[in-house]
């Protein structure tokens, strides 16, 4: 926004980022004041906000409309932070080429419409940003494949003896063209464009249709879905089956309200009677609660009216399911909450006098599954008891196995700080947090006799009768980094492996995060945990196996190698929350999930990996350095040959 001081400070950093990422990722800026529709569509909560969009649009399964779904930037707002994050999410359409699949790769492109195949021979153990960028540039126009230097059969077949080497193979006749030229992205792209097929265009104007997000309603379904249910609705009444602009509205209120479309040209219903001074298309907003559906509010279909309809929906959520509590009443509230279906309590602590709209909406969805409380302006004792230092804060609590010495209700759980949520706090974040707390609480409070798949770590003893749970690992010194080479030594033989997963791009805070783990290790000693850490942004296969996003880092998991089960930290990465998490594991109160097999770590130099991702321009020169040397030698040899020919023709008189 033009009035935003932080945005002005960020401008030169962002311009340098754009220069670094030139030819790899497009960098752009949006004036929020001039584009309020984009602010609403992408749920921008503050400025500046930075998002990364994928290289190509995908069809939304709900709206059937082509769009690019963004991810929020997480990291330090510096040139390095932006470049690291962007290249971490850089798409790649590079295919691996081996002696086993090379013929299939070529044969499937032999027909008249087949694509030429680019083979990049390399001695690197990772795919470079340059090659990823080329694969994006020529997606669906060239097949770009990578050949490792260990594929000796292919190197021999194509007479490749130096690395890197770039070849274009024409499957139709088998001919091969070697790239010999400048090392810059633009020059290589210019060369490849000669062999690429025509441009591929994606239709960006797919019409929005009824789906799970925008629901098509009929006279029969309207009564059942809208009038008889508590959920709020915004319904568009039209004279066609499509209405442009309804999709973004549906995306903006997803989880909070349903959006429907009613085609009055096909449905004969009194619902289609035009309100006074309004024509087709028009909308009606139906507030929360089935008793509120009798008199909906009518609006014309325009931008301002859509905002009014949305606000009407949000304000309709009651605080009926929220208990306003003060310090002395906390124990009574927790005791009652721990008797609910999920045996959990969700508490919002805030400086405001009333609970927020999002919190009210969430309590309406999860009513009856947990106890919901609100504490306005909590006193120092309450803040201290819950271990929080700032507001607002959301707590997810459930009973602890440890008894309190002073007789107060004992609890464990996690916290959600709206201020630290990457990309801004929204309903989806709150919904996910409550879902995790209620599920976790249900699993940790299951009957001891139930077969819930948890690892019982409370009754294991050695043959001499001693408790063998706390055989203990190191309690001092540095937290070791977990790698492919030491995985079996550090984790394979441990009772439980406590793995801290860090953001490798955030070197500035690494020491702070590891010191937190050291403090927790000391407090939990003796314990069954073998503590270690791993670079999550380098080991993306590990994150995929554990269903963890890079934006969730830092975090911690516990892994039980003997049963191949794991549990994941919920909430903030701090001493208190980690203590709650590991205490639940030690007490057998935290549920675990099964894995098909022990996760594998890639044998990769993470320092080199991040360095290669940091500076694509330098990498570009490095990738083709040997090609330049070969080209230079060839030109020098050719110049010498010409000079010799001139000498022979002119009797030793060299032409200038």
């Amino acid at each position: 926004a033009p009035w935003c001081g932080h945005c002005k400070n960020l401008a030169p950093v962002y311009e340098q980022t754009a220069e670094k990422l030139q030819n790899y990722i497009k960098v752009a800026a949006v004036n929020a004041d001039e584009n309020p529709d984009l602010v609403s569509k992408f749920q921008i909560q503050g400025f500046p906000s930075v998002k990364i969009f994928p290289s190509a649009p995908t069809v939304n399964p709900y709206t059937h409309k082509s769009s690019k779904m963004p991810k929020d930037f997480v990291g330090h707002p510096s040139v390095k932070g932006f470049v690291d994050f962007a290249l971490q999410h850089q798409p790649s359409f590079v295919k691996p080429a081996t002696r086993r699949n090379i013929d299939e790769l070529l044969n499937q492109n032999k027909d008249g419409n087949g694509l030429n195949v680019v083979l990049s021979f390399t001695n690197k153990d990772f795919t470079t940003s340059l090659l990823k960028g080329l694969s994006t540039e020529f997606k669906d126009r060239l097949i770009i494949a990578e050949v490792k230097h260990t594929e000796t059969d292919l190197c021999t077949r194509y007479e490749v003896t130096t690395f890197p080497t770039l070849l274009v193979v024409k499957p139709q006749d088998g001919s091969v063209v070697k790239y010999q030229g400048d090392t810059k992205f633009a020059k290589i792209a210019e060369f490849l464009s000669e062999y690429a097929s025509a441009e591929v265009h994606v239709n960006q104007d797919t019409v929005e249709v009824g789906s799970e997000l925008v629901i098509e309603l009929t006279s029969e379904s309207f009564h059942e879905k809208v009038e008889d249910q508590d959920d709020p609705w915004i319904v568009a009444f039209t004279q066609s089956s499509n209405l442009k602009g309804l999709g973004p509205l549906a995306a903006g209120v997803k989880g909070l309200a349903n959006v429907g479309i009613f085609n009055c040209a096909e449905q004969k219903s009194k619902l289609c009677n035009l309100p006074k001074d309004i024509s087709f298309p028009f909308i009606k907003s139906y507030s929360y609660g089935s008793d509120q559906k009798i008199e909906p509010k009518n609006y014309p279909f325009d931008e301002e009216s859509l905002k009014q309809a949305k606000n009407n929906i949000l304000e309709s959520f009651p605080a009926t399911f929220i208990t306003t509590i003060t310090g002395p009443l906390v124990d009574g509230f927790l005791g009652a909450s721990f008797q609910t279906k999920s045996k959990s309590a969700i508490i919002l602590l805030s400086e405001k006098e009333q609970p927020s709209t999002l919190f009210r909406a969430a309590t309406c969805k999860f009513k009856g599954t947990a106890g919901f409380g609100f504490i306005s302006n909590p006193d120092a004792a309450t803040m201290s008891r819950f271990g929080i230092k700032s507001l607002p804060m959301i707590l997810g609590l459930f009973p602890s196995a440890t008894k309190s010495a002073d007789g107060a209700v004992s609890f464990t759980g996690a916290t959600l700080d709206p201020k630290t949520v990457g990309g801004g706090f929204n309903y989806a974040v709150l919904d996910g947090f409550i879902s995790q707390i209620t599920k976790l609480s249900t699993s940790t409070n299951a009957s001891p006799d139930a077969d819930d798949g948890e690892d019982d770590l409370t009754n294991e003893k050695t043959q001499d009768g001693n408790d063998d749970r706390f055989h203990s690992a190191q309690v001092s010194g540095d937290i070791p980094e977990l790698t492919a080479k030491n995985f079996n030594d550090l984790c394979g033989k441990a009772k439980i492996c406590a793995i801290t997963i860090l953001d490798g791009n955030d070197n500035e805070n690494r020491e702070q995060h590891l010191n937190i783990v050291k403090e927790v290790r000391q407090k939990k000693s003796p314990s069954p945990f073998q503590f270690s850490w791993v670079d999550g942004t380098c080991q993306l296969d590990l994150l995929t196996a554990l269903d963890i996003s890079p934006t969730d880092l830092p975090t911690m998991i516990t892994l039980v190698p003997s049963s191949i089960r794991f549990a994941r930290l919920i909430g903030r990465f701090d001493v208190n929350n980690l203590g709650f998490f590991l205490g639940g594991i030690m007490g057998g109160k935290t549920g675990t999930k099964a894995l098909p097999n022990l996760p594998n770590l890639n044998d990769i130099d993470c320092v080199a990996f991040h360095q290669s991702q940091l500076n694509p321009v330098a990498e570009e020169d490095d990738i083709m350095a040997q090609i330049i040397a070969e080209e230079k030698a060839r030109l020098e040899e050719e110049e010498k040959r010409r000079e010799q020919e001139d000498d022979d023709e002119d009797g030793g008189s060299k032409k200038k």
Side-chain angles (χ1 to χ4, degrees):
W3 44 263
C4 167
H6 291 302
C7 302
K8 294 177 182 178
N9 295 334
L10 182 68
V13 173
Y14 209 52
E15 289 170 359
Q16 294 177 52
T17 301
E19 184 177 350
K20 278 279 189 182
L21 294 173
Q22 187 178 12
N23 295 321
Y24 292 87
I25 294 174
K26 294 181 175 66
V27 178
V30 175
N31 186 323
D33 285 357
E34 295 177 357
N35 297 275
D37 54 333
L38 292 180
V39 173
S40 175
K41 179 177 181 179
F42 296 113
Q43 300 180 2
I44 303 301
Q45 304 292 322
F47 306 105
S49 287
V50 179
K51 294 178 180 285
I52 187 166
F53 291 76
S55 63
T58 56
V59 177
N60 189 307
Y62 304 114
T63 65
H64 298 277
K65 183 177 181 180
S66 294
S67 61
K68 296 184 177 184
M69 302 305 293
K71 292 184 178 180
D72 295 310
F73 168 73
V74 177
H76 190 267
S78 62
V79 175
K80 180 181 183 301
F82 286 137
V83 171
D84 281 355
F85 181 77
L87 293 182
Q88 175 187 319
H89 292 87
Q90 182 185 16
S92 175
F93 304 100
V94 179
K95 299 178 180 293
T98 67
R99 62 183 179 85
R100 293 184 177 85
N101 73 345
I102 185 64
D103 290 330
E104 179 183 353
L105 198 64
L106 296 174
N107 289 336
Q108 68 184 12
N109 289 284
K110 269 188 175 181
D111 59 56
N113 296 321
L115 303 179
N116 289 326
V117 179
V118 178
L119 296 179
S120 173
F121 290 80
T122 179
N123 56 2
K124 294 184 179 293
D125 59 0
F126 56 87
T127 302
T128 64
S129 294
L130 173 64
L131 199 61
K132 290 179 182 178
L134 291 170
S135 74
T136 301
E137 179 75 16
F138 293 98
K139 183 178 181 292
D140 298 326
R141 301 175 59 208
L142 285 170
I143 300 296
I144 295 185
E146 189 173 47
V147 184
K148 299 296 186 182
H149 69 284
T150 53
E151 292 289 337
T152 54
D153 289 350
L154 288 185
C155 293
T156 301
R157 175 173 171 176
Y158 290 101
E159 301 179 350
V160 174
T161 57
T162 58
F163 304 94
T165 294
L166 195 69
L167 305 178
V168 176
V169 181
K170 300 178 181 179
Q172 292 80 4
D173 58 15
S175 60
V176 178
V177 182
K178 183 178 180 180
Y179 173 72
Q180 295 176 328
D182 201 311
T183 63
K184 300 302 180 184
F185 181 97
K187 289 295 184 181
I188 301 174
E190 182 181 358
F191 166 76
L192 293 179
S193 64
E194 297 179 22
Y195 305 97
S197 67
E199 291 282 355
V200 176
H201 297 283
V202 179
N203 181 13
Q204 300 280 0
D205 298 319
T206 306
V207 180
E208 299 165 18
V209 298
S211 66
E212 188 176 337
L213 194 61
V214 179
I215 303 170
E216 289 183 297
L217 296 169
T218 64
S219 299
E220 293 74 20
S221 64
F222 187 90
H223 178 74
E224 176 186 350
K225 293 183 176 181
V226 180
E227 294 180 324
D228 285 354
Q229 302 297 324
D230 285 334
D231 295 341
W233 280 79
I234 297 176
V235 181
F237 293 85
T238 72
Q239 291 185 313
S240 67
S241 58
N242 300 302
L243 185 60
K244 192 172 183 62
L246 202 56
L249 170 67
V253 297
K254 184 179 179 182
L256 293 167
N258 299 310
V259 174
I261 184 169
F262 194 100
N263 187 354
C264 292
E266 297 178 354
Q267 304 290 324
K268 303 303 179 184
S269 170
K270 62 180 182 179
L271 293 168
C272 295
N273 294 341
L274 286 172
K276 185 178 180 181
D277 299 327
I278 295 179
S279 59
F280 286 109
F282 65 92
I283 55 177
K284 295 184 179 183
S285 69
Y286 296 83
S287 300
Y288 177 86
S290 58
D291 57 334
Q292 302 295 319
K293 303 295 176 65
I294 301 174
E295 297 183 3
K297 294 187 177 181
N298 304 307
Y299 304 91
F301 193 85
D302 56 48
E303 184 176 344
E304 186 61 33
S305 297
L306 289 176
K307 291 180 181 179
Q308 292 179 15
K310 179 180 177 180
N311 290 335
N312 176 57
I313 291 295
L314 295 178
E315 293 304 319
S316 73
F317 289 108
T320 308
F321 311 106
I322 302 174
T323 301
T324 299
I325 52 181
T326 58
L329 301 178
V330 169
D331 280 347
F333 170 76
L334 291 177
S337 298
F338 293 162
Q339 301 302 314
T340 60
K341 183 178 179 180
S342 67
K343 296 181 173 59
S344 60
I346 310 295
I347 304 176
L348 168 63
L349 298 94
S350 173
E351 295 174 321
K352 296 184 177 180
E353 298 298 324
Q354 300 294 330
S356 67
T357 299
L358 294 185
F359 193 70
R360 298 201 313 270
T363 64
C364 291
K365 175 180 177 179
F366 291 94
K367 61 182 179 182
T369 61
F372 291 94
F374 174 68
I375 302 178
S376 175
N377 294 303
D379 56 26
T382 302
M383 297 280 283
S384 175
R385 180 179 183 184
F386 290 121
I388 58 177
K389 298 179 180 180
S390 63
L391 300 175
M393 192 69 67
I394 299 173
L395 307 177
L397 308 175
F398 38 87
S400 170
T402 305
K403 302 299 182 183
S404 175
D406 58 5
V409 175
S410 185
F411 54 83
T412 186
T415 58
L416 174 63
D417 185 349
K419 301 183 296 300
T420 63
V421 176
F425 181 71
N426 55 45
Y427 180 80
V429 174
L430 178 58
D431 185 289
F433 177 77
I434 296 175
S435 295
Q436 285 185 311
I437 290 296
T438 53
K439 289 177 182 178
L440 180 60
S441 179
T442 301
S443 65
T444 58
N445 288 287
S447 167
D449 299 325
D451 184 15
D452 58 5
E454 294 182 14
D455 292 287
D456 185 3
L457 301 176
T458 59
N459 296 313
E460 298 188 16
K461 296 180 180 293
T462 59
Q463 291 182 353
D464 59 6
N466 294 322
D467 193 337
D468 191 42
R469 290 176 295 156
F470 310 137
H471 63 281
S472 192
Q474 81 284 15
V475 294
S476 62
D478 292 336
I479 305 294
E481 180 179 5
L482 192 63
T483 66
K485 291 183 174 63
N486 66 11
F487 182 87
N488 288 333
D489 291 336
L490 286 181
C491 210
K493 301 175 183 178
K495 173 66 70 176
I496 311 177
C497 199
I499 306 173
T500 298
I501 307 178
L502 299 179
D503 181 351
N505 299 317
D506 187 16
N507 290 326
E508 296 180 5
N509 293 312
R510 176 182 296 177
E511 197 64 30
Q512 175 188 346
H513 294 146
L514 290 178
N515 285 336
I516 290 174
V517 179
K518 287 181 183 179
E519 184 176 345
V520 173
R521 179 182 65 181
Q522 186 64 38
K523 287 184 175 183
K524 291 296 179 184
S525 178
S527 77
F529 302 112
Q530 171 69 53
F531 289 88
S532 61
W533 72 274
V534 69
D535 182 342
T537 50
C538 174
Q539 298 286 352
L540 292 177
D541 289 345
L542 175 67
L543 298 192
T544 300
L546 300 173
D547 194 24
I548 296 175
S549 166
T551 59
D552 296 333
L553 305 181
T555 189
M556 176 182 282
I557 68 158
T558 57
L559 177 67
V560 183
S562 59
S563 59
I564 317 182
R565 302 184 70 87
F566 84 102
R568 175 186 168 188
L569 171 73
I570 299 175
R572 289 189 302 174
F573 190 89
D574 59 22
V575 173
N576 288 335
N577 217 30
L578 286 171
F580 286 148
F581 172 61
L582 295 178
I585 296 293
M586 292 173 65
K589 300 294 291 181
T590 297
T592 60
K593 295 182 180 180
L595 288 169
N597 45 53
L598 280 176
N600 292 321
L601 296 181
N602 295 323
D603 189 6
I604 183 172
D605 184 342
C606 289
V607 175
F609 170 80
H610 287 297
Q611 187 60 39
S612 71
Q613 301 295 300
L614 173 63
N615 193 349
V617 176
E619 176 195 80
E620 188 174 308
D621 293 334
D622 178 63
I623 289 173
M624 304 302 289
Q626 294 185 32
I627 290 180
I628 275 204
E630 291 177 10
E631 178 66 7
K632 182 178 179 181
R634 183 183 67 80
L635 293 174
E636 289 176 350
E637 185 65 30
E638 188 174 330
E639 182 65 22
K640 289 180 181 179
R641 180 179 58 78
R642 288 200 192 100
E643 290 178 356
Q644 184 62 46
E645 290 175 352
D646 291 342
D647 288 343
D648 293 342
E649 291 176 2
D650 299 339
S653 176
K654 181 186 294 184
K655 291 182 180 179
K656 301 298 181 182

